[in-house]
Amino acid sequence: MTSSRRTFLKNSAIAATAAALMPNNLFAAPARIQRVGIQLYSVRDAMKVDPAGTLKKLAAMGYQHVEHANYVDRKFYGWTAKEFKKVLDDLGLQMPSGHTVMTPQHWDAEKNDFTDAWKYTVEDAAYMGQKFVISPWMDEKVRHDTDLLKRTMDQFNKSGELCQKFNMKFGYHNHDFEFTTMVGDIRLFDYIMQNTDPSKVSQQLDIGNMYGRENDAISIINKYPGRFVSMHVKDEVKSADKNEGTGYESTILGKGVLPVKEVLKAAKKTGGTVYLIIEQESYQGLDPLDCVKIDLQTMKKWGY
């Protein structure tokens, strides 16, 4: 057994014990209260230049929850889990979820177990106090190889089991290809929904990514009630870039064509959605920080 493996097992035991001793309501999703956060990819350039200063600005705007999109070599935006947690704690910020792509390479077929790299991902997420470890992508090879896709769904469920040991859930985040790629006679999105265990795998519905492919997010929510504990809240406008995949790009909430308020109502009533994560990836010439400030003000105006 390698030294790094021993360290993982030791730290895992400590983290799991700590999680078991924490109050259950710390990890339980509130039945009625919906919490608004921001996906830090929305301000990705600012996070590259001055992550501490950017987080401080977000906290000053009134954000209390963030979702990371940068975990590399056991570091969040260049900080270790211990360092990043202190940064967030000092600003009064919490991180209930984060995005880290899980690939088939994170599963060791010979050992019939996850690689240490994925175990560290889960361990560090638990240390940060996350409730969800979300994979936001699926390799194209996986999408078009039925056997590999089936194994990946099994891997999703096993990741859910691993996350459960730390009182977390594994999750998957959609883009647009899930609605255009077919697996036999059903869409990839439906295949994922039908082959993942809801008790182990949560779905984070991105209502912007699907626009132009599946225009009616409400129908998806009604088709799979209670499956979308987390949601990426976006609005969309027609893209000036003709190469844009769906023909649309994100914009300030309330300025686009999506019926965002109606989707949010359906999410709360039927989708079981608790975490509303604002994400804006395009800005129509405006400063991203100015955009996400208006996004939060809009959500508050809508009563969230």
Side-chain angles (χ1 to χ4, degrees):
M1 184 182 293
T2 65
S3 176
S4 62
R5 182 70 180 131
R6 289 193 192 95
T7 301
F8 170 78
L9 292 172
K10 178 181 178 181
N11 290 342
S12 296
I14 293 172
T17 301
L21 293 174
M22 290 181 180
N24 290 333
N25 61 6
L26 183 65
F27 291 92
R32 298 182 183 276
I33 299 175
Q34 290 184 304
R35 302 181 179 184
V36 177
I38 182 171
Q39 165 53 250
L40 293 176
Y41 188 75
S42 303
V43 289
R44 53 195 175 278
D45 291 339
M47 286 296 293
K48 288 179 183 178
V49 176
D50 182 13
T54 302
L55 291 167
K56 185 176 181 180
K57 289 177 182 178
L58 293 173
M61 292 176 193
Y63 282 103
Q64 296 179 333
H65 299 91
V66 299
E67 180 179 75
H68 81 76
N70 186 288
Y71 175 81
V72 181
D73 296 330
R74 301 202 70 180
K75 291 185 177 181
F76 300 91
Y77 300 96
W79 287 299
T80 64
K82 182 177 181 179
E83 292 167 340
F84 193 42
K85 190 173 189 307
K86 185 178 188 309
V87 170
L88 296 182
D89 287 347
D90 288 347
L91 293 171
L93 294 171
Q94 298 179 17
M95 191 167 71
S97 60
H99 281 194
T100 305
V101 176
M102 184 175 72
T103 71
Q105 286 67 45
H106 284 114
W107 182 260
D108 188 326
E110 291 186 3
K111 296 181 179 179
N112 195 34
D113 197 2
F114 286 103
T115 63
D116 283 355
W118 188 253
K119 291 180 179 181
Y120 288 140
T121 299
V122 174
E123 178 187 344
D124 289 341
Y127 182 86
M128 293 300 302
Q130 288 181 212
K131 298 172 179 63
F132 302 97
V133 177
I134 298 172
S135 181
W137 188 251
M138 182 180 289
D139 290 346
E140 190 166 355
K141 182 179 179 181
V142 176
R143 307 174 209 169
H144 300 289
D145 184 328
T146 305
D147 290 337
L148 183 56
L149 179 60
K150 184 177 180 180
R151 292 198 299 273
T152 298
M153 294 301 98
D154 186 51
Q155 190 173 329
F156 278 14
N157 289 320
K158 284 184 167 61
S159 183
E161 293 173 0
L162 176 61
C163 288
Q164 281 181 337
K165 295 178 181 179
F166 297 88
N167 284 341
M168 298 188 296
K169 288 189 76 171
F170 176 70
Y172 180 75
H173 170 95
N174 69 277
H175 281 74
D176 67 298
F177 61 79
E178 291 88 352
F179 298 94
T180 57
T181 302
M182 300 299 293
V183 183
D185 59 354
I186 67 171
R187 298 176 303 181
L188 175 58
F189 184 85
D190 295 302
Y191 184 90
I192 294 170
M193 298 299 289
Q194 294 171 17
N195 288 275
T196 51
D197 185 339
S199 69
K200 301 173 183 176
V201 181
S202 177
Q203 301 295 328
Q204 184 180 65
L205 187 66
D206 188 308
I207 66 174
N209 284 349
M210 67 190 297
Y211 192 78
R213 301 299 192 195
E214 169 62 62
N215 294 334
D216 188 4
I218 295 175
S219 69
I220 292 294
I221 293 170
N222 289 334
K223 184 175 182 179
Y224 297 104
R227 297 288 297 271
F228 306 105
V229 180
S230 180
M231 174 177 287
H232 268 204
V233 182
K234 289 179 177 174
D235 208 341
E236 299 283 311
V237 292
K238 282 191 175 181
S239 174
D241 182 1
K242 294 182 180 180
N243 294 319
E244 180 72 21
T246 64
Y248 291 87
E249 64 182 28
S250 55
T251 190
I252 291 172
L253 293 177
K255 302 294 184 181
V257 297
L258 264 67
V260 182
K261 288 192 288 185
E262 287 73 17
V263 174
L264 291 174
K265 289 177 183 177
K268 184 173 184 177
K269 180 181 178 181
T270 307
T273 309
V274 175
Y275 296 98
L276 304 172
I277 310 298
I278 292 170
E279 183 179 41
Q280 187 174 339
E281 300 169 287
S282 302
Y283 319 98
Q284 294 79 51
L286 300 176
D287 184 287
L289 281 164
D290 291 338
C291 289
V292 298
K293 182 177 182 179
I294 298 171
D295 288 332
L296 181 59
Q297 292 171 343
T298 300
M299 288 291 284
K300 288 182 176 179
K301 184 173 66 176
W302 289 345
Y304 295 93

